[in-house]
PDB file of all heavy atoms in Angstrom:
ATOM      1  N   LYS A   1     -35.775  48.350 -54.346  1.00  0.00           N
ATOM      2  CA  LYS A   1     -35.915  47.780 -53.005  1.00  0.00           C
ATOM      3  C   LYS A   1     -36.167  46.281 -53.087  1.00  0.00           C
ATOM      4  O   LYS A   1     -35.588  45.487 -52.332  1.00  0.00           O
ATOM      5  CB  LYS A   1     -37.057  48.474 -52.260  1.00  0.00           C
ATOM      6  CG  LYS A   1     -36.675  49.728 -51.490  1.00  0.00           C
ATOM      7  CD  LYS A   1     -35.801  49.365 -50.300  1.00  0.00           C
ATOM      8  CE  LYS A   1     -35.496  50.587 -49.454  1.00  0.00           C
ATOM      9  NZ  LYS A   1     -34.611  50.261 -48.309  1.00  0.00           N
ATOM     10  N   LEU A   2     -37.071  45.886 -53.990  1.00  0.00           N
ATOM     11  CA  LEU A   2     -37.368  44.475 -54.168  1.00  0.00           C
ATOM     12  C   LEU A   2     -36.134  43.715 -54.650  1.00  0.00           C
ATOM     13  O   LEU A   2     -35.853  42.605 -54.199  1.00  0.00           O
ATOM     14  CB  LEU A   2     -38.522  44.297 -55.164  1.00  0.00           C
ATOM     15  CG  LEU A   2     -39.898  44.768 -54.709  1.00  0.00           C
ATOM     16  CD1 LEU A   2     -40.896  44.667 -55.859  1.00  0.00           C
ATOM     17  CD2 LEU A   2     -40.381  43.951 -53.519  1.00  0.00           C
ATOM     18  N   TRP A   3     -35.380  44.317 -55.553  1.00  0.00           N
ATOM     19  CA  TRP A   3     -34.184  43.684 -56.095  1.00  0.00           C
ATOM     20  C   TRP A   3     -33.140  43.466 -55.006  1.00  0.00           C
ATOM     21  O   TRP A   3     -32.505  42.409 -54.947  1.00  0.00           O
ATOM     22  CB  TRP A   3     -33.619  44.548 -57.209  1.00  0.00           C
ATOM     23  CG  TRP A   3     -32.392  43.980 -57.856  1.00  0.00           C
ATOM     24  CD1 TRP A   3     -32.335  43.033 -58.833  1.00  0.00           C
ATOM     25  CD2 TRP A   3     -31.038  44.327 -57.560  1.00  0.00           C
ATOM     26  NE1 TRP A   3     -31.038  42.763 -59.174  1.00  0.00           N
ATOM     27  CE2 TRP A   3     -30.213  43.541 -58.410  1.00  0.00           C
ATOM     28  CE3 TRP A   3     -30.445  45.228 -56.679  1.00  0.00           C
ATOM     29  CZ2 TRP A   3     -28.820  43.642 -58.373  1.00  0.00           C
ATOM     30  CZ3 TRP A   3     -29.064  45.329 -56.644  1.00  0.00           C
ATOM     31  CH2 TRP A   3     -28.268  44.540 -57.482  1.00  0.00           C
ATOM     32  N   THR A   4     -32.948  44.458 -54.131  1.00  0.00           N
ATOM     33  CA  THR A   4     -31.978  44.303 -53.050  1.00  0.00           C
ATOM     34  C   THR A   4     -32.415  43.228 -52.065  1.00  0.00           C
ATOM     35  O   THR A   4     -31.589  42.464 -51.555  1.00  0.00           O
ATOM     36  CB  THR A   4     -31.765  45.633 -52.302  1.00  0.00           C
ATOM     37  OG1 THR A   4     -33.033  46.142 -51.834  1.00  0.00           O
ATOM     38  CG2 THR A   4     -31.131  46.674 -53.210  1.00  0.00           C
ATOM     39  N   TRP A   5     -33.727  43.141 -51.794  1.00  0.00           N
ATOM     40  CA  TRP A   5     -34.226  42.113 -50.877  1.00  0.00           C
ATOM     41  C   TRP A   5     -34.052  40.726 -51.475  1.00  0.00           C
ATOM     42  O   TRP A   5     -33.577  39.808 -50.801  1.00  0.00           O
ATOM     43  CB  TRP A   5     -35.692  42.363 -50.558  1.00  0.00           C
ATOM     44  CG  TRP A   5     -36.253  41.389 -49.567  1.00  0.00           C
ATOM     45  CD1 TRP A   5     -36.105  41.407 -48.216  1.00  0.00           C
ATOM     46  CD2 TRP A   5     -37.048  40.228 -49.861  1.00  0.00           C
ATOM     47  NE1 TRP A   5     -36.755  40.343 -47.643  1.00  0.00           N
ATOM     48  CE2 TRP A   5     -37.340  39.606 -48.613  1.00  0.00           C
ATOM     49  CE3 TRP A   5     -37.552  39.665 -51.034  1.00  0.00           C
ATOM     50  CZ2 TRP A   5     -38.105  38.446 -48.540  1.00  0.00           C
ATOM     51  CZ3 TRP A   5     -38.307  38.504 -50.947  1.00  0.00           C
ATOM     52  CH2 TRP A   5     -38.569  37.905 -49.715  1.00  0.00           C
ATOM     53  N   VAL A   6     -34.411  40.576 -52.755  1.00  0.00           N
ATOM     54  CA  VAL A   6     -34.257  39.281 -53.418  1.00  0.00           C
ATOM     55  C   VAL A   6     -32.780  38.915 -53.526  1.00  0.00           C
ATOM     56  O   VAL A   6     -32.408  37.743 -53.372  1.00  0.00           O
ATOM     57  CB  VAL A   6     -34.914  39.304 -54.814  1.00  0.00           C
ATOM     58  CG1 VAL A   6     -34.589  38.038 -55.592  1.00  0.00           C
ATOM     59  CG2 VAL A   6     -36.424  39.457 -54.685  1.00  0.00           C
ATOM     60  N   SER A   7     -31.921  39.904 -53.752  1.00  0.00           N
ATOM     61  CA  SER A   7     -30.483  39.641 -53.849  1.00  0.00           C
ATOM     62  C   SER A   7     -29.924  39.096 -52.540  1.00  0.00           C
ATOM     63  O   SER A   7     -29.024  38.249 -52.541  1.00  0.00           O
ATOM     64  CB  SER A   7     -29.736  40.926 -54.237  1.00  0.00           C
ATOM     65  OG  SER A   7     -30.133  41.371 -55.518  1.00  0.00           O
ATOM     66  N   LYS A   8     -30.462  39.571 -51.423  1.00  0.00           N
ATOM     67  CA  LYS A   8     -29.981  39.111 -50.120  1.00  0.00           C
ATOM     68  C   LYS A   8     -30.330  37.640 -49.880  1.00  0.00           C
ATOM     69  O   LYS A   8     -29.525  36.894 -49.326  1.00  0.00           O
ATOM     70  CB  LYS A   8     -30.561  39.981 -49.012  1.00  0.00           C
ATOM     71  CG  LYS A   8     -29.995  41.388 -48.965  1.00  0.00           C
ATOM     72  CD  LYS A   8     -30.633  42.209 -47.856  1.00  0.00           C
ATOM     73  CE  LYS A   8     -30.073  43.622 -47.824  1.00  0.00           C
ATOM     74  NZ  LYS A   8     -30.720  44.455 -46.767  1.00  0.00           N
ATOM     75  N   ILE A   9     -31.522  37.236 -50.278  1.00  0.00           N
ATOM     76  CA  ILE A   9     -31.900  35.837 -50.067  1.00  0.00           C
ATOM     77  C   ILE A   9     -31.442  34.949 -51.218  1.00  0.00           C
ATOM     78  O   ILE A   9     -31.396  33.728 -51.083  1.00  0.00           O
ATOM     79  CB  ILE A   9     -33.421  35.680 -49.853  1.00  0.00           C
ATOM     80  CG1 ILE A   9     -34.208  36.097 -51.100  1.00  0.00           C
ATOM     81  CG2 ILE A   9     -33.880  36.465 -48.636  1.00  0.00           C
ATOM     82  CD1 ILE A   9     -35.691  35.807 -50.996  1.00  0.00           C
ATOM     83  N   ASN A  10     -31.067  35.573 -52.350  1.00  0.00           N
ATOM     84  CA  ASN A  10     -30.595  34.795 -53.499  1.00  0.00           C
ATOM     85  C   ASN A  10     -29.327  34.022 -53.176  1.00  0.00           C
ATOM     86  O   ASN A  10     -29.113  32.919 -53.694  1.00  0.00           O
ATOM     87  CB  ASN A  10     -30.373  35.727 -54.695  1.00  0.00           C
ATOM     88  CG  ASN A  10     -29.779  35.004 -55.888  1.00  0.00           C
ATOM     89  OD1 ASN A  10     -28.594  35.141 -56.188  1.00  0.00           O
ATOM     90  ND2 ASN A  10     -30.599  34.224 -56.577  1.00  0.00           N
ATOM     91  N   VAL A  11     -28.488  34.574 -52.304  1.00  0.00           N
ATOM     92  CA  VAL A  11     -27.243  33.886 -51.951  1.00  0.00           C
ATOM     93  C   VAL A  11     -27.508  32.598 -51.170  1.00  0.00           C
ATOM     94  O   VAL A  11     -26.618  31.748 -51.058  1.00  0.00           O
ATOM     95  CB  VAL A  11     -26.315  34.817 -51.137  1.00  0.00           C
ATOM     96  CG1 VAL A  11     -25.923  36.026 -51.970  1.00  0.00           C
ATOM     97  CG2 VAL A  11     -26.979  35.261 -49.844  1.00  0.00           C
ATOM     98  N   HIS A  12     -28.727  32.459 -50.625  1.00  0.00           N
ATOM     99  CA  HIS A  12     -29.097  31.255 -49.881  1.00  0.00           C
ATOM    100  C   HIS A  12     -30.000  30.337 -50.703  1.00  0.00           C
ATOM    101  O   HIS A  12     -30.636  29.444 -50.155  1.00  0.00           O
ATOM    102  CB  HIS A  12     -29.809  31.634 -48.583  1.00  0.00           C
ATOM    103  CG  HIS A  12     -29.013  32.538 -47.693  1.00  0.00           C
ATOM    104  ND1 HIS A  12     -27.878  32.124 -47.032  1.00  0.00           N
ATOM    105  CD2 HIS A  12     -29.189  33.846 -47.364  1.00  0.00           C
ATOM    106  CE1 HIS A  12     -27.388  33.123 -46.323  1.00  0.00           C
ATOM    107  NE2 HIS A  12     -28.151  34.178 -46.509  1.00  0.00           N
ATOM    108  N   HIS A  13     -30.056  30.576 -52.007  1.00  0.00           N
ATOM    109  CA  HIS A  13     -30.979  29.835 -52.867  1.00  0.00           C
ATOM    110  C   HIS A  13     -30.749  28.329 -52.803  1.00  0.00           C
ATOM    111  O   HIS A  13     -31.705  27.541 -52.745  1.00  0.00           O
ATOM    112  CB  HIS A  13     -30.839  30.318 -54.312  1.00  0.00           C
ATOM    113  CG  HIS A  13     -31.863  29.770 -55.248  1.00  0.00           C
ATOM    114  ND1 HIS A  13     -33.216  29.874 -55.041  1.00  0.00           N
ATOM    115  CD2 HIS A  13     -31.720  29.082 -56.420  1.00  0.00           C
ATOM    116  CE1 HIS A  13     -33.876  29.293 -56.027  1.00  0.00           C
ATOM    117  NE2 HIS A  13     -32.994  28.804 -56.874  1.00  0.00           N
ATOM    118  N   ALA A  14     -29.503  27.914 -52.796  1.00  0.00           N
ATOM    119  CA  ALA A  14     -29.185  26.476 -52.746  1.00  0.00           C
ATOM    120  C   ALA A  14     -29.699  25.858 -51.449  1.00  0.00           C
ATOM    121  O   ALA A  14     -30.264  24.755 -51.451  1.00  0.00           O
ATOM    122  CB  ALA A  14     -27.680  26.275 -52.872  1.00  0.00           C
ATOM    123  N   LYS A  15     -29.526  26.564 -50.352  1.00  0.00           N
ATOM    124  CA  LYS A  15     -29.989  26.066 -49.059  1.00  0.00           C
ATOM    125  C   LYS A  15     -31.506  25.937 -49.038  1.00  0.00           C
ATOM    126  O   LYS A  15     -32.047  24.921 -48.575  1.00  0.00           O
ATOM    127  CB  LYS A  15     -29.508  27.002 -47.953  1.00  0.00           C
ATOM    128  CG  LYS A  15     -29.919  26.604 -46.560  1.00  0.00           C
ATOM    129  CD  LYS A  15     -29.198  27.464 -45.520  1.00  0.00           C
ATOM    130  CE  LYS A  15     -29.553  28.931 -45.665  1.00  0.00           C
ATOM    131  NZ  LYS A  15     -28.899  29.752 -44.619  1.00  0.00           N
ATOM    132  N   PHE A  16     -32.193  26.958 -49.546  1.00  0.00           N
ATOM    133  CA  PHE A  16     -33.656  26.908 -49.573  1.00  0.00           C
ATOM    134  C   PHE A  16     -34.154  25.834 -50.525  1.00  0.00           C
ATOM    135  O   PHE A  16     -35.233  25.265 -50.320  1.00  0.00           O
ATOM    136  CB  PHE A  16     -34.225  28.274 -49.969  1.00  0.00           C
ATOM    137  CG  PHE A  16     -33.951  29.358 -48.973  1.00  0.00           C
ATOM    138  CD1 PHE A  16     -33.642  30.646 -49.388  1.00  0.00           C
ATOM    139  CD2 PHE A  16     -34.005  29.095 -47.610  1.00  0.00           C
ATOM    140  CE1 PHE A  16     -33.397  31.649 -48.468  1.00  0.00           C
ATOM    141  CE2 PHE A  16     -33.759  30.102 -46.682  1.00  0.00           C
ATOM    142  CZ  PHE A  16     -33.444  31.376 -47.118  1.00  0.00           C
ATOM    143  N   ALA A  17     -33.379  25.557 -51.574  1.00  0.00           N
ATOM    144  CA  ALA A  17     -33.756  24.501 -52.517  1.00  0.00           C
ATOM    145  C   ALA A  17     -33.827  23.162 -51.801  1.00  0.00           C
ATOM    146  O   ALA A  17     -34.784  22.390 -51.981  1.00  0.00           O
ATOM    147  CB  ALA A  17     -32.750  24.443 -53.668  1.00  0.00           C
ATOM    148  N   TRP A  18     -32.827  22.858 -50.980  1.00  0.00           N
ATOM    149  CA  TRP A  18     -32.821  21.587 -50.252  1.00  0.00           C
ATOM    150  C   TRP A  18     -33.843  21.577 -49.122  1.00  0.00           C
ATOM    151  O   TRP A  18     -34.526  20.573 -48.911  1.00  0.00           O
ATOM    152  CB  TRP A  18     -31.423  21.297 -49.720  1.00  0.00           C
ATOM    153  CG  TRP A  18     -30.463  20.925 -50.791  1.00  0.00           C
ATOM    154  CD1 TRP A  18     -29.384  21.640 -51.215  1.00  0.00           C
ATOM    155  CD2 TRP A  18     -30.524  19.765 -51.629  1.00  0.00           C
ATOM    156  NE1 TRP A  18     -28.755  20.988 -52.253  1.00  0.00           N
ATOM    157  CE2 TRP A  18     -29.430  19.837 -52.524  1.00  0.00           C
ATOM    158  CE3 TRP A  18     -31.378  18.674 -51.707  1.00  0.00           C
ATOM    159  CZ2 TRP A  18     -29.178  18.856 -53.475  1.00  0.00           C
ATOM    160  CZ3 TRP A  18     -31.134  17.689 -52.646  1.00  0.00           C
ATOM    161  CH2 TRP A  18     -30.052  17.784 -53.527  1.00  0.00           C
ATOM    162  N   TYR A  19     -33.947  22.674 -48.386  1.00  0.00           N
ATOM    163  CA  TYR A  19     -34.923  22.732 -47.291  1.00  0.00           C
ATOM    164  C   TYR A  19     -36.337  22.488 -47.811  1.00  0.00           C
ATOM    165  O   TYR A  19     -37.108  21.722 -47.224  1.00  0.00           O
ATOM    166  CB  TYR A  19     -34.861  24.085 -46.588  1.00  0.00           C
ATOM    167  CG  TYR A  19     -33.645  24.297 -45.726  1.00  0.00           C
ATOM    168  CD1 TYR A  19     -33.368  25.550 -45.174  1.00  0.00           C
ATOM    169  CD2 TYR A  19     -32.741  23.269 -45.466  1.00  0.00           C
ATOM    170  CE1 TYR A  19     -32.251  25.766 -44.376  1.00  0.00           C
ATOM    171  CE2 TYR A  19     -31.622  23.469 -44.687  1.00  0.00           C
ATOM    172  CZ  TYR A  19     -31.382  24.718 -44.139  1.00  0.00           C
ATOM    173  OH  TYR A  19     -30.266  24.931 -43.364  1.00  0.00           O
ATOM    174  N   SER A  20     -36.689  23.165 -48.905  1.00  0.00           N
ATOM    175  CA  SER A  20     -38.044  23.026 -49.460  1.00  0.00           C
ATOM    176  C   SER A  20     -38.263  21.647 -50.063  1.00  0.00           C
ATOM    177  O   SER A  20     -39.376  21.122 -50.049  1.00  0.00           O
ATOM    178  CB  SER A  20     -38.305  24.115 -50.504  1.00  0.00           C
ATOM    179  OG  SER A  20     -37.388  24.031 -51.576  1.00  0.00           O
ATOM    180  N   LEU A  21     -37.186  21.046 -50.599  1.00  0.00           N
ATOM    181  CA  LEU A  21     -37.308  19.697 -51.152  1.00  0.00           C
ATOM    182  C   LEU A  21     -37.664  18.702 -50.059  1.00  0.00           C
ATOM    183  O   LEU A  21     -38.571  17.879 -50.217  1.00  0.00           O
ATOM    184  CB  LEU A  21     -35.986  19.290 -51.816  1.00  0.00           C
ATOM    185  CG  LEU A  21     -36.008  17.992 -52.618  1.00  0.00           C
ATOM    186  CD1 LEU A  21     -36.692  18.207 -53.958  1.00  0.00           C
ATOM    187  CD2 LEU A  21     -34.590  17.471 -52.837  1.00  0.00           C
ATOM    188  N   PHE A  22     -36.972  18.803 -48.933  1.00  0.00           N
ATOM    189  CA  PHE A  22     -37.249  17.904 -47.813  1.00  0.00           C
ATOM    190  C   PHE A  22     -38.605  18.213 -47.178  1.00  0.00           C
ATOM    191  O   PHE A  22     -39.332  17.291 -46.786  1.00  0.00           O
ATOM    192  CB  PHE A  22     -36.145  18.015 -46.756  1.00  0.00           C
ATOM    193  CG  PHE A  22     -34.839  17.424 -47.190  1.00  0.00           C
ATOM    194  CD1 PHE A  22     -33.676  18.174 -47.147  1.00  0.00           C
ATOM    195  CD2 PHE A  22     -34.762  16.115 -47.652  1.00  0.00           C
ATOM    196  CE1 PHE A  22     -32.461  17.634 -47.545  1.00  0.00           C
ATOM    197  CE2 PHE A  22     -33.560  15.563 -48.051  1.00  0.00           C
ATOM    198  CZ  PHE A  22     -32.398  16.330 -48.000  1.00  0.00           C
ATOM    199  N   SER A  23     -38.949  19.494 -47.060  1.00  0.00           N
ATOM    200  CA  SER A  23     -40.190  19.863 -46.372  1.00  0.00           C
ATOM    201  C   SER A  23     -41.425  19.412 -47.144  1.00  0.00           C
ATOM    202  O   SER A  23     -42.395  18.943 -46.547  1.00  0.00           O
ATOM    203  CB  SER A  23     -40.238  21.375 -46.123  1.00  0.00           C
ATOM    204  OG  SER A  23     -40.386  22.106 -47.328  1.00  0.00           O
ATOM    205  N   VAL A  24     -41.406  19.536 -48.481  1.00  0.00           N
ATOM    206  CA  VAL A  24     -42.578  19.151 -49.258  1.00  0.00           C
ATOM    207  C   VAL A  24     -42.749  17.632 -49.251  1.00  0.00           C
ATOM    208  O   VAL A  24     -43.886  17.115 -49.190  1.00  0.00           O
ATOM    209  CB  VAL A  24     -42.489  19.705 -50.699  1.00  0.00           C
ATOM    210  CG1 VAL A  24     -41.416  18.990 -51.505  1.00  0.00           C
ATOM    211  CG2 VAL A  24     -43.831  19.612 -51.408  1.00  0.00           C
ATOM    212  N   ALA A  25     -41.631  16.894 -49.280  1.00  0.00           N
ATOM    213  CA  ALA A  25     -41.710  15.434 -49.211  1.00  0.00           C
ATOM    214  C   ALA A  25     -42.174  14.990 -47.825  1.00  0.00           C
ATOM    215  O   ALA A  25     -42.983  14.058 -47.701  1.00  0.00           O
ATOM    216  CB  ALA A  25     -40.352  14.821 -49.540  1.00  0.00           C
ATOM    217  N   PHE A  26     -41.678  15.665 -46.789  1.00  0.00           N
ATOM    218  CA  PHE A  26     -42.066  15.303 -45.428  1.00  0.00           C
ATOM    219  C   PHE A  26     -43.541  15.613 -45.177  1.00  0.00           C
ATOM    220  O   PHE A  26     -44.248  14.830 -44.519  1.00  0.00           O
ATOM    221  CB  PHE A  26     -41.205  16.048 -44.415  1.00  0.00           C
ATOM    222  CG  PHE A  26     -41.480  15.674 -42.985  1.00  0.00           C
ATOM    223  CD1 PHE A  26     -41.029  14.464 -42.465  1.00  0.00           C
ATOM    224  CD2 PHE A  26     -42.215  16.516 -42.156  1.00  0.00           C
ATOM    225  CE1 PHE A  26     -41.294  14.098 -41.150  1.00  0.00           C
ATOM    226  CE2 PHE A  26     -42.484  16.165 -40.840  1.00  0.00           C
ATOM    227  CZ  PHE A  26     -42.027  14.957 -40.338  1.00  0.00           C
ATOM    228  N   ALA A  27     -44.028  16.749 -45.706  1.00  0.00           N
ATOM    229  CA  ALA A  27     -45.440  17.106 -45.545  1.00  0.00           C
ATOM    230  C   ALA A  27     -46.338  16.064 -46.201  1.00  0.00           C
ATOM    231  O   ALA A  27     -47.353  15.644 -45.637  1.00  0.00           O
ATOM    232  CB  ALA A  27     -45.702  18.485 -46.139  1.00  0.00           C
ATOM    233  N   ASP A  28     -45.962  15.632 -47.408  1.00  0.00           N
ATOM    234  CA  ASP A  28     -46.738  14.597 -48.094  1.00  0.00           C
ATOM    235  C   ASP A  28     -46.681  13.282 -47.331  1.00  0.00           C
ATOM    236  O   ASP A  28     -47.702  12.605 -47.170  1.00  0.00           O
ATOM    237  CB  ASP A  28     -46.207  14.397 -49.510  1.00  0.00           C
ATOM    238  CG  ASP A  28     -46.878  13.236 -50.216  1.00  0.00           C
ATOM    239  OD1 ASP A  28     -48.016  13.402 -50.693  1.00  0.00           O
ATOM    240  OD2 ASP A  28     -46.277  12.140 -50.261  1.00  0.00           O
ATOM    241  N   LEU A  29     -45.485  12.905 -46.856  1.00  0.00           N
ATOM    242  CA  LEU A  29     -45.334  11.648 -46.134  1.00  0.00           C
ATOM    243  C   LEU A  29     -46.138  11.660 -44.836  1.00  0.00           C
ATOM    244  O   LEU A  29     -46.755  10.644 -44.477  1.00  0.00           O
ATOM    245  CB  LEU A  29     -43.860  11.397 -45.824  1.00  0.00           C
ATOM    246  CG  LEU A  29     -43.529  10.113 -45.052  1.00  0.00           C
ATOM    247  CD1 LEU A  29     -43.951   8.885 -45.856  1.00  0.00           C
ATOM    248  CD2 LEU A  29     -42.044  10.056 -44.718  1.00  0.00           C
ATOM    249  N   TYR A  30     -46.159  12.796 -44.148  1.00  0.00           N
ATOM    250  CA  TYR A  30     -46.920  12.895 -42.901  1.00  0.00           C
ATOM    251  C   TYR A  30     -48.406  12.677 -43.164  1.00  0.00           C
ATOM    252  O   TYR A  30     -49.078  11.929 -42.439  1.00  0.00           O
ATOM    253  CB  TYR A  30     -46.695  14.266 -42.257  1.00  0.00           C
ATOM    254  CG  TYR A  30     -47.504  14.481 -41.001  1.00  0.00           C
ATOM    255  CD1 TYR A  30     -47.080  13.961 -39.781  1.00  0.00           C
ATOM    256  CD2 TYR A  30     -48.705  15.192 -41.028  1.00  0.00           C
ATOM    257  CE1 TYR A  30     -47.818  14.140 -38.626  1.00  0.00           C
ATOM    258  CE2 TYR A  30     -49.458  15.387 -39.888  1.00  0.00           C
ATOM    259  CZ  TYR A  30     -49.005  14.851 -38.679  1.00  0.00           C
ATOM    260  OH  TYR A  30     -49.752  15.038 -37.543  1.00  0.00           O
ATOM    261  N   ILE A  31     -48.930  13.313 -44.200  1.00  0.00           N
ATOM    262  CA  ILE A  31     -50.354  13.166 -44.528  1.00  0.00           C
ATOM    263  C   ILE A  31     -50.648  11.746 -44.985  1.00  0.00           C
ATOM    264  O   ILE A  31     -51.695  11.177 -44.653  1.00  0.00           O
ATOM    265  CB  ILE A  31     -50.751  14.193 -45.608  1.00  0.00           C
ATOM    266  CG1 ILE A  31     -50.672  15.607 -45.020  1.00  0.00           C
ATOM    267  CG2 ILE A  31     -52.151  13.912 -46.154  1.00  0.00           C
ATOM    268  CD1 ILE A  31     -50.902  16.709 -46.028  1.00  0.00           C
ATOM    269  N   TYR A  32     -49.727  11.144 -45.717  1.00  0.00           N
ATOM    270  CA  TYR A  32     -49.888   9.755 -46.160  1.00  0.00           C
ATOM    271  C   TYR A  32     -49.979   8.807 -44.962  1.00  0.00           C
ATOM    272  O   TYR A  32     -50.878   7.961 -44.891  1.00  0.00           O
ATOM    273  CB  TYR A  32     -48.722   9.369 -47.066  1.00  0.00           C
ATOM    274  CG  TYR A  32     -48.683   7.901 -47.419  1.00  0.00           C
ATOM    275  CD1 TYR A  32     -49.557   7.361 -48.358  1.00  0.00           C
ATOM    276  CD2 TYR A  32     -47.757   7.043 -46.812  1.00  0.00           C
ATOM    277  CE1 TYR A  32     -49.521   6.020 -48.693  1.00  0.00           C
ATOM    278  CE2 TYR A  32     -47.711   5.698 -47.133  1.00  0.00           C
ATOM    279  CZ  TYR A  32     -48.593   5.190 -48.076  1.00  0.00           C
ATOM    280  OH  TYR A  32     -48.561   3.854 -48.391  1.00  0.00           O
ATOM    281  N   LEU A  33     -49.066   8.941 -44.016  1.00  0.00           N
ATOM    282  CA  LEU A  33     -49.062   8.071 -42.836  1.00  0.00           C
ATOM    283  C   LEU A  33     -50.256   8.342 -41.939  1.00  0.00           C
ATOM    284  O   LEU A  33     -50.811   7.432 -41.321  1.00  0.00           O
ATOM    285  CB  LEU A  33     -47.762   8.268 -42.048  1.00  0.00           C
ATOM    286  CG  LEU A  33     -46.473   7.866 -42.770  1.00  0.00           C
ATOM    287  CD1 LEU A  33     -45.262   8.197 -41.917  1.00  0.00           C
ATOM    288  CD2 LEU A  33     -46.490   6.379 -43.123  1.00  0.00           C
ATOM    289  N   LEU A  34     -50.687   9.598 -41.896  1.00  0.00           N
ATOM    290  CA  LEU A  34     -51.853   9.956 -41.095  1.00  0.00           C
ATOM    291  C   LEU A  34     -53.118   9.377 -41.721  1.00  0.00           C
ATOM    292  O   LEU A  34     -53.999   8.857 -41.026  1.00  0.00           O
ATOM    293  CB  LEU A  34     -51.955  11.482 -41.016  1.00  0.00           C
ATOM    294  CG  LEU A  34     -52.820  12.092 -39.906  1.00  0.00           C
ATOM    295  CD1 LEU A  34     -52.253  11.755 -38.539  1.00  0.00           C
ATOM    296  CD2 LEU A  34     -52.892  13.608 -40.079  1.00  0.00           C
ATOM    297  N   SER A  35     -53.184   9.414 -43.039  1.00  0.00           N
ATOM    298  CA  SER A  35     -54.372   8.945 -43.738  1.00  0.00           C
ATOM    299  C   SER A  35     -54.530   7.432 -43.668  1.00  0.00           C
ATOM    300  O   SER A  35     -55.655   6.931 -43.532  1.00  0.00           O
ATOM    301  CB  SER A  35     -54.310   9.394 -45.202  1.00  0.00           C
ATOM    302  OG  SER A  35     -55.400   8.889 -45.943  1.00  0.00           O
ATOM    303  N   ASN A  36     -53.413   6.692 -43.768  1.00  0.00           N
ATOM    304  CA  ASN A  36     -53.535   5.233 -43.750  1.00  0.00           C
ATOM    305  C   ASN A  36     -53.532   4.641 -42.347  1.00  0.00           C
ATOM    306  O   ASN A  36     -53.518   3.431 -42.175  1.00  0.00           O
ATOM    307  CB  ASN A  36     -52.440   4.584 -44.610  1.00  0.00           C
ATOM    308  CG  ASN A  36     -51.040   4.805 -44.061  1.00  0.00           C
ATOM    309  OD1 ASN A  36     -50.843   5.114 -42.885  1.00  0.00           O
ATOM    310  ND2 ASN A  36     -50.050   4.640 -44.930  1.00  0.00           N
TER     311      ASN A  36
END
């Protein structure tokens, strides 16, 4: 069951790679601008 679920989202791995790359940088940048 776990393998089938991971297989379904595995096809979107490239998309999630970019989304998470932008989101983690944006989260850090937001806190940086808020802090200064």
Side-chain angles (χ1 to χ4, degrees):
K1 272 291 184 182
L2 292 174
W3 181 82
T4 55
W5 183 79
V6 172
S7 297
K8 289 179 181 178
I9 64 173
N10 175 255
V11 298
H12 303 291
H13 188 55
K15 180 171 62 178
F16 295 141
W18 288 113
Y19 287 171
S20 60
L21 189 76
F22 289 126
S23 69
V24 70
F26 184 75
D28 174 78
L29 179 62
Y30 177 81
I31 293 174
Y32 172 76
L33 296 176
L34 198 64
S35 176
N36 65 20

